[in-house]
Amino acid sequence: MGTLRTLGLDRFLTGHPTEISRILGPYCRWSVVARTRLLIARNGISDGTFDRARSSCRIALAFLTYLEDNNLDLQTGSQTIVEDYLEQFPRHLDHVRVFIRWAADTGRATRMSPPPSRWIDPSTSYPIPVYRDWMHRFETDETIPLRTRICGLLCGMLGRPSSAVAKLTRSDITDTGDEMTVTIGTSPVRLRDPLPALIRRQLDAPRRWDMDSDWLFPSKLRAGAHTDYSMMVKDLQILGCSIVSLRGAALLALAAVMPAGPLSDLTGISVGVANRWQTLAAAAYSSYPAIRLP
């Protein structure tokens, strides 16, 4: 009860619409309080202990309100609405991840999964030989769906998440016939074979369900929208490929040969995180001389 009083939950949880209260109450009273008590037991009380707990509750409320404003709830909302919310409120990512994990684990959310962390754990990166095997397979295996091959190659070459790949448009791609570039950060990046040919096939594919949009990967379910990036993640999972491990290996490879500034722009990570990856890559580079991209 002391934790509840300290967090001021009784006052915080009053006055909300019924559907929101039905979700928010159990999350704040059970999950947030339990997690806060566990942290106190492990680390003691710090200045930020209760501030973090209150932020968890406030951001859960903000996300539920966002769903309601879009005529959705945890059952009807998909991964796309999570992505849209985080695009507007990127600093909420960590708290939203915890909330959605709780909602999914308790059966309250069936079409959402916790968004990936902005920090990839280097321990999950594929070893360089495994990484190269996956890239070779995406380059050559015609039995893999075209969308999956393009996603795997872009994520594995540029270290970008599938959410960035899913949002690519025709306008992001410049094709002179001799070379193709894609602007996925602030600067265009030249694509090496066989990506240009694969992307041309994707652009030329019939789109009876979407004739007007500019998306490279238009959604077959939502007119005028792009493919939900979670579908790309599932495509790779079906093959047995972890996009987190693939991106981690790509970041190690890129960090070994690029300054922090260009690495940050290319991959979308901050300069500080880019510096961290360069430190990790330096250690890995001494063990794996073949880490450099061809």
Side-chain angles (χ1 to χ4, degrees):
M1 291 299 294
T3 306
L4 288 173
R5 286 195 296 270
T6 304
L7 292 176
L9 287 181
D10 289 337
R11 182 174 56 188
F12 172 77
L13 292 171
T14 59
H16 305 302
T18 302
E19 288 302 308
I20 289 180
S21 296
R22 185 172 57 84
I23 301 294
L24 194 63
Y27 175 67
C28 294
R29 293 182 185 278
W30 302 343
S31 180
V32 174
V33 168
R35 192 165 63 252
T36 302
R37 287 173 175 164
L38 180 62
L39 289 174
I40 291 173
R42 287 179 177 175
N43 307 319
I45 298 177
S46 67
D47 292 340
T49 300
F50 293 111
D51 286 340
R52 285 192 293 272
R54 294 187 187 99
S55 293
S56 294
C57 295
R58 286 196 298 269
I59 290 172
L61 172 60
F63 180 65
L64 290 169
T65 303
Y66 185 81
L67 290 177
E68 185 174 80
D69 290 344
N70 285 273
N71 299 314
L72 296 168
D73 56 31
L74 288 176
Q75 291 291 327
T76 58
S78 69
Q79 201 70 18
T80 299
I81 198 68
V82 179
E83 182 182 339
D84 291 344
Y85 178 84
L86 291 175
E87 190 170 282
Q88 297 182 51
F89 307 102
R91 293 186 179 182
H92 292 188
L93 185 146
D94 293 332
H95 289 299
V96 168
R97 183 191 306 109
V98 172
F99 174 66
I100 292 178
R101 182 180 295 117
W102 170 83
D105 290 345
T106 58
R108 291 173 168 85
T110 56
R111 302 178 62 205
M112 301 178 189
S113 57
S117 171
R118 62 170 66 92
W119 323 117
I120 299 179
D121 183 355
S123 67
T124 64
S125 301
Y126 278 133
I128 297 304
V130 176
Y131 164 65
R132 289 187 175 277
D133 286 344
W134 274 115
M135 295 299 284
H136 178 72
R137 187 174 175 189
F138 292 134
E139 289 174 350
T140 61
D141 192 342
E142 290 290 337
T143 66
I144 299 176
L146 181 60
R147 179 180 74 181
T148 307
R149 293 176 68 187
I150 295 173
C151 179
L153 286 170
L154 285 173
C155 293
M157 286 176 58
L158 307 181
R160 283 275 177 167
S162 58
S163 56
V165 175
K167 293 179 180 178
L168 284 174
T169 66
R170 293 174 183 265
S171 304
D172 296 323
I173 298 164
T174 301
D175 187 3
T176 66
D178 294 324
E179 71 173 32
M180 178 182 289
T181 61
V182 60
T183 303
I184 202 167
T186 59
S187 304
V189 179
R190 183 177 179 274
L191 301 178
R192 67 172 187 263
D193 292 334
L195 256 175
L198 296 178
I199 290 176
R200 291 181 190 115
R201 283 167 53 184
Q202 173 67 22
L203 291 171
D204 292 341
R207 304 184 179 197
R208 293 182 294 274
W209 69 91
D210 190 318
M211 301 296 291
D212 301 319
S213 80
D214 195 38
W215 300 114
L216 177 60
F217 302 104
S219 172
K220 293 183 180 181
L221 301 177
R222 300 182 302 133
H226 60 76
T227 293
D228 192 319
Y229 79 90
S230 65
M231 300 303 297
M232 293 181 165
V233 175
K234 290 179 181 177
D235 291 342
L236 291 168
Q237 288 174 339
I238 290 171
L239 292 176
C241 179
S242 164
I243 195 167
V244 173
S245 299
L246 188 71
R247 288 185 61 214
L251 282 168
L252 280 176
L254 292 166
V257 297
M258 295 183 70
L263 178 64
S264 172
D265 176 55
L266 178 64
T267 61
I269 60 178
S270 70
V271 173
V273 175
N275 284 322
R276 175 170 169 261
W277 275 97
Q278 286 185 320
T279 301
L280 295 166
Y285 190 79
S286 64
S287 301
Y288 294 100
I291 196 171
R292 291 179 181 272
L293 292 174

